[in-house]
């Protein structure tokens, strides 16, 4: 079976990316592997806060629920996974494990401190992945 791997996070763009990937998966008769890379953005800023772990767990539960709602009418087969790590290697590994046809991610047009220091996920994947990468723009120009 053909698989598409799609990376999601907590930003609104992820659900546009998820919709594009889901539509493409139906058209291709492919399974959809939805992947979230857990990193420090899933945690509150203050690691000494008493509810640090609970905050992260709540954020991950909320994300999974949002993905489930977004895919509630999806006609094809899909799975959801979370992995601790940076998005680029996490998505590459998932794609390799499932011999994915491609990896689908979003492109944010605004620079953030994280993107300045690490670069974008799409750029990182396009440089290092051994399979096609579909980059969905934040908004059409």
């Amino acid at each position: 079976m053909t698989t598409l791997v799609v990376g999601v996070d907590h930003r609104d763009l992820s659900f546009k990316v998820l919709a594009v990937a889901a539509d493409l998966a139906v058209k291709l008769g492919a399974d959809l592997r939805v992947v979230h890379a857990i990193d420090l953005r899933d945690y509150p800023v203050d690691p000494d806060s008493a509810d640090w772990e609970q905050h992260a767990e709540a954020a991950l539960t909320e994300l999974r629920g949002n993905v489930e709602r977004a895919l509630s009418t999806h006609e094809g087969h899909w799975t959801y996974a979370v992995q601790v790590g940076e998005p680029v290697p996490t998505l590459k590994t998932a794609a390799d494990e499932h011999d994915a046809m491609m990896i689908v991610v979003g492109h944010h047009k605004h620079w953030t401190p994280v993107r300045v220091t690490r670069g974008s996920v799409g750029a990182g994947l396009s440089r290092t992945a051994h399979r096609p990468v579909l980059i969905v723009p934040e908004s059409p120009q």
Side-chain angles (χ1 to χ4, degrees):
M1 178 53 102
T2 301
T3 301
L4 303 179
V5 168
V6 57
V8 298
D9 61 21
H10 300 281
R11 292 175 277 203
D12 290 341
L13 174 59
S14 285
F15 296 95
K16 178 181 178 183
V17 172
L18 188 57
V20 169
D23 183 55
L24 187 57
V26 168
K27 290 175 179 172
L28 295 173
D31 286 346
L32 195 59
R33 178 72 170 170
V34 182
V35 178
H36 173 66
I38 299 173
D39 64 13
L40 288 177
R41 289 172 288 188
D42 292 304
Y43 291 89
V45 175
D46 181 9
D48 294 326
S49 70
D51 62 349
W52 196 65
E53 289 291 333
Q54 292 83 2
H55 182 299
E57 188 63 37
L60 293 174
T61 299
E62 179 183 12
L63 179 60
R64 182 180 179 99
N66 289 340
V67 168
E68 289 172 352
R69 281 186 289 285
L71 293 175
S72 64
T73 60
H74 179 61
E75 299 171 10
H77 180 262
W78 65 274
T79 57
Y80 180 81
V82 294
Q83 300 286 334
V84 176
E86 292 294 320
V88 171
T90 298
L91 291 168
K92 281 176 42 181
T93 298
D96 290 344
E97 288 174 353
H98 296 278
D99 193 25
M101 171 186 272
M102 73 178 67
I103 304 168
V104 184
V105 295
H107 172 71
H108 300 274
K109 63 182 176 181
H110 300 293
W111 286 95
T112 64
V114 172
R115 287 190 63 210
V116 169
T117 58
R118 285 194 314 206
S120 74
V121 173
L125 286 168
S126 65
R127 282 192 308 272
T128 62
H130 302 289
R131 61 192 74 246
V133 177
L134 174 62
I135 301 173
V136 179
E138 186 171 9
S139 60
Q141 298 295 330

